[in-house]
Amino acid sequence: MADDQLFEDLPEQDKPLPKGRGAVRLREPERRQMSMQVAALDDLVGDDHPVRAVWSFVEGLDLSALYDVIKAREGEPGHPPASPKLMLALWLWATIDGVGSARQLDRLCRDHLIYRWLCGGVSMNYHSLSNFRIAHMAVLERLLAQGVASMVDAGLVSLDTLAQDGLRVRAGGIEMVHAEGYQPSNYLVDGGFTKNEAIEWAHANGIKVWCPPAQTKHGTDPYAPKKGDGVGVADWRERMKSDDGKAFYRLRCEHECINAHARRMGLRQLSLRGKIKARIHLLWFAVAHNMMRFFALHAKAQAA
């Protein structure tokens, strides 16, 4: 009897459950958990991130024309503007990234790590970004010309052959941006867009035009000599009729990739009005594209 009362106050023990699969254990995100994170912006962007190459590229440019017009000087009143070097780097990276709006770029400078890294704590507003974008056409034209010249000097590209390709963009009255100051030896253009007078002019200036003739309405041989053909046109028909001429003209397909790249960067519609602003918009794409080509060609040359 005494043994029965000895453990009467103890709670009953649950029987052990048979072995099996218990509840799933997971690590769930808890975004309201307070924590401290101490890190420099520079530590958050990888050493091999392409934005670093863009910044290094801009640091090596001569931007004295942009700095000379700044009114804020030491010892004088006035709010200091953002560095032209920073503004240029932001718009080049935005162009590569397919960002075409100053308001969108302004938001990214606050919310996106890579743009915050470029800003390095410098505050932005879309008015300043928008104004800078369209205010320096002469600087962009100089950077475009100098960029091409530097690649030629480095042996990365040659100006012996020039290919021209059109790109339809949703805007009217846009003039083509021409490269000036040199004449190529070979000029590859769209078929059917070259007139005989232009071919004769090119021939007289030592330029070979590579352009397939348009098909005739009567189904005659477009390569056959015609009455009234000048020396340049006759030479052009003979050149394009040959297998070597047709093979050389196919090189133009490689240059169509430039327009495809521009579309990937967002060149589908020009939101800026007027020919001058549209030209500036296209210059940003040209400078950004050539910068990326320089990176790729330079890396390839270094690896060779």
Side-chain angles (χ1 to χ4, degrees):
M1 188 68 177
D3 291 341
D4 293 339
Q5 298 175 350
L6 182 62
F7 301 104
E8 64 180 0
D9 294 332
L10 293 177
E12 290 195 20
Q13 302 293 319
D14 294 334
K15 296 181 179 179
L17 295 174
K19 292 184 178 181
R21 301 187 66 186
V24 176
R25 294 186 298 112
L26 298 172
R27 290 178 292 128
E28 298 286 357
E30 179 50 70
R31 299 180 181 89
R32 292 174 295 180
Q33 177 68 38
M34 300 294 293
S35 64
M36 294 185 62
Q37 299 179 4
V38 181
L41 271 175
D42 201 49
D43 297 334
L44 303 178
V45 177
D47 293 339
D48 58 347
H49 196 285
V51 73
R52 292 186 179 272
V54 173
W55 182 249
S56 297
F57 172 82
V58 173
E59 283 191 311
L61 298 176
D62 177 14
L63 302 178
S64 55
L66 298 180
Y67 284 87
D68 291 342
V69 298
I70 295 176
K71 297 180 180 179
R73 301 287 174 174
E74 290 188 7
E76 298 181 6
H79 184 69
S83 165
K85 178 172 57 178
L86 169 58
M87 302 291 277
L88 181 65
L90 279 172
W91 273 117
L92 285 176
W93 182 255
T95 302
I96 297 168
D97 201 26
V99 177
S101 163
R103 291 180 182 272
Q104 182 183 3
L105 178 54
D106 180 28
R107 289 192 297 269
L108 289 170
C109 289
R110 298 191 301 269
D111 302 334
H112 195 286
L113 173 61
I114 300 304
Y115 290 89
R116 287 172 51 216
W117 180 87
L118 277 173
C119 290
V122 177
S123 60
M124 286 291 154
N125 65 79
Y126 75 90
H127 282 295
S128 298
L129 290 168
S130 179
N131 292 339
F132 183 88
R133 184 188 191 187
I134 61 175
H136 305 291
M137 183 174 71
V139 173
L140 291 173
E141 289 179 332
R142 178 174 57 81
L143 292 178
L144 179 61
Q146 290 178 347
V148 173
S150 64
M151 286 192 285
V152 172
D153 292 340
L156 301 177
V157 298
S158 170
L159 298 182
D160 183 63
T161 300
L162 174 66
Q164 177 179 320
D165 186 43
L167 176 65
R168 291 184 179 273
V169 180
R170 292 180 58 189
I174 306 303
E175 294 181 346
M176 182 179 299
V177 179
H178 294 283
E180 300 175 352
Y182 79 98
Q183 289 184 352
S185 301
N186 300 284
Y187 194 20
L188 286 73
V189 295
D190 278 329
F193 287 92
T194 302
K195 297 182 179 180
N196 289 358
E197 294 82 359
I199 296 176
E200 291 292 346
W201 177 89
H203 180 81
N205 287 273
I207 302 173
K208 291 183 179 181
V209 174
W210 303 82
C211 170
Q215 297 296 322
T216 63
K217 296 180 180 179
H218 306 290
T220 57
D221 184 4
Y223 300 104
K226 294 184 178 181
K227 184 179 180 180
D229 283 352
V231 177
V233 173
D235 181 65
W236 162 68
R237 292 188 193 278
E238 188 67 25
R239 179 168 60 252
M240 294 309 302
K241 182 180 180 179
S242 67
D243 292 336
D244 290 340
K246 294 174 182 178
F248 185 77
Y249 182 73
R250 283 196 289 270
L251 294 175
R252 184 178 163 277
C253 297
E254 300 177 4
H255 299 80
E256 293 178 350
C257 296
I258 297 175
N259 285 343
H261 187 206
R263 288 200 180 279
R264 287 198 299 271
M265 291 194 297
L267 186 57
R268 297 180 180 275
Q269 181 175 1
L270 298 180
S271 57
L272 303 175
R273 295 186 177 183
K275 292 183 179 181
I276 298 299
K277 291 182 179 180
R279 182 183 178 92
I280 293 173
H281 191 100
L282 295 175
L283 281 168
W284 279 108
F285 276 91
V287 173
H289 169 81
N290 285 359
M291 175 185 66
M292 298 304 292
R293 290 305 300 154
F294 173 79
F295 295 159
L297 293 173
H298 181 71
K300 184 178 180 180
Q302 292 292 319

